[in-house]
Amino acid sequence: MFVLLSIFMTLPAVLLSGSDAPNSQAFIISAAVVFGMGLCGMLGTYHKERDLKPRYMFVLTVTSWLFISLVSALPFYLSDNDINWATALFESTSGITTTGATALSGLDFMDRDLLLWRSILQWVGGIGIIGMFVAVLPFLRVGGMRLFATESSEWTDKALPRMKTLSRGLLLVYLVFSTVAVLTYWASGMSLFDAFNHGLTSIATGGFSTSDSSMGKFDSDLILVEASIFMALGGMPFFLFVREMHGQRGVLWRDQQVRAFVGILLFVPLVLTCYRWLMTDDFDLLSGYVSTLFNVTSVVTTTGYASEDYSAWGSLAFVVFFYLMFIGGCSGSTSGGMKVFRFQLSLILLREQLMRLLHPRAVLSRKYNGRVVSDEIIASMVAYTFIFFLSLMVITVILAGLELEFPVALTGALAALTNVGPGLGNVIGPSGNFATLPDAAKLVLSAGMLMGRLEILSVVVVLSPAFWRS
């Protein structure tokens, strides 16, 4: 992973030149350091047996994301932009976890090589997240992907050929979507540089932009509609795209979480548009709907783009967007959040409990996507939900202890854990950023972003004393 990351680190210096790449030396030094670390690791373990026990995979998953976040901060820290180590780590963690929260300001005038590195980090993080959800987390019994029965749920010699086929398909779909996004944005009026950056971060549902105004810079309904489509694609299960590609027609739409996800993206913007129309004089219905659709899609898919300050649309909109921050996309996508399927399982569990109260002796079947949902999956969902809200409470308290106002502390913690990016309000909302927060708060939020990206339970397991005692 370090060797591959070092190759990506050279891209800003290779793709840009002259005044567009003033920090080439910082990227080359960073790439050399990371390549050296990876090479030493490969040489030191070349003849070692690779025993993929769950215990080792837990440690590998957590530490790899942690160390990649650390070394990815090197180009920011070594650049000529006077970025301190806490801000550099916050930016790299936000990038690799596709959170999209930024602690940098003046993006319109920032060095292009740093802007490109931010987008590359999110694109790399996006494909890494898909691979983790489809291959690693089912093996660790974390994340809920066992509900969707991919061929990568077990790490055995028999499963490896299927996993390789799936991995190639996932990479192909990801590359095709990214290429189409770049070309579409370019054809719609963006410069090639802006199109390339936004194409990468749209499919990765990352949300890093080349402007402080985010997508509001382009002032185009067409671009907002295109971005909404690409974000929605990034929020869907990529393994289902691969199955469609291999001839299983209609499997995407038959998935319950996809139908619910699309329903949310269609219904909520319609309601909020009607609300804005009633509350605003001279409201342009078409442009208003496009703007609402774009911003709702951005929050639900945890992308973090903004075309305007949606937290100022009124009290109802503020509350709706706060709740939307919890949802996230589908399992197996690049999106963060709690994921749609957990809300669906909660409704199934609620219905079952109500039926048991009415018919105590009834024999009830608990099914999702036509498959029986085991008690183990329900227990995992309940445990995740509990630890999610406990983590949200703890991080909010810590941020409040650092003298952050309650709305900033709460929505900042939520934005980090769900990997949404911006919070709500004037400070860290869609019209602000995290630059004014103290370094300690940036470090706490960086930890929150990693926890949210790794489904929290993976981190809790590794940090538990019982894990190390045996």
Side-chain angles (χ1 to χ4, degrees), residues 16 80 133 143 146 187 247 272 287 302 309 326-327 335 450:
L16 301 173
D80 298 328
F133 270 101
R146 284 171 297 147
L272 284 181
S287 294
T302 70
D309 187 2
F326 286 92
I327 297 176
S335 295
L450 283 172

Side-chain angles (χ1 to χ4, degrees), residues 124-261:
V124 171
I127 190 63
I129 289 159
I130 296 170
M132 181 183 71
F133 270 101
V134 172
V136 178
L137 293 187
F139 172 72
L140 300 180
R141 298 180 176 273
V142 174
M145 275 299 295
R146 284 171 297 147
L147 275 172
F148 308 102
T150 66
E151 290 82 358
S152 58
S153 299
E154 54 177 333
W155 284 56
T156 63
D157 291 338
K158 184 178 179 181
L160 285 176
R162 293 197 298 268
M163 287 175 58
K164 290 179 179 178
T165 301
L166 179 62
S167 299
R168 286 195 294 266
L170 290 171
L171 182 59
L172 177 61
V173 170
Y174 195 67
L175 285 170
V176 169
F177 282 174
S178 302
T179 303
V180 171
V182 171
L183 295 177
T184 302
Y185 285 145
W186 191 23
S188 300
M190 284 191 186
S191 68
L192 180 58
F193 180 76
D194 285 336
F196 187 78
N197 282 271
H198 289 90
L200 297 188
T201 58
S202 293
I203 296 301
T205 60
F208 274 158
S209 180
T210 57
S211 171
D212 289 332
S213 302
S214 190
M215 281 289 191
K217 169 186 177 181
F218 305 104
D219 193 26
S220 168
D221 288 348
L222 175 60
I223 288 178
L224 294 187
V225 171
E226 293 167 350
S228 300
I229 293 171
F230 294 133
M231 289 187 291
L233 289 174
M236 293 183 186
F238 274 71
F239 68 92
L240 292 183
F241 290 124
V242 176
R243 290 173 63 180
E244 290 274 1
M245 187 174 65
H246 283 84
Q248 299 183 35
R249 304 302 180 196
V251 68
L252 182 69
W253 185 245
R254 288 197 298 270
D255 187 87
Q256 282 185 232
Q257 63 169 344
V258 172
R259 293 201 301 270
F261 174 69

Side-chain angles (χ1 to χ4, degrees), residues 90-91 93-95 97-102 118 122 205-209 302-304 419-422 434 449:
F90 180 92
E91 203 72 13
T93 305
S94 179
T97 59
T98 71
T99 301
T102 183
R118 294 162 80 243
Q122 290 200 329
T205 60
F208 274 158
S209 180
T302 70
T303 305
N419 303 116
V420 169
F434 291 74
M449 288 186 275

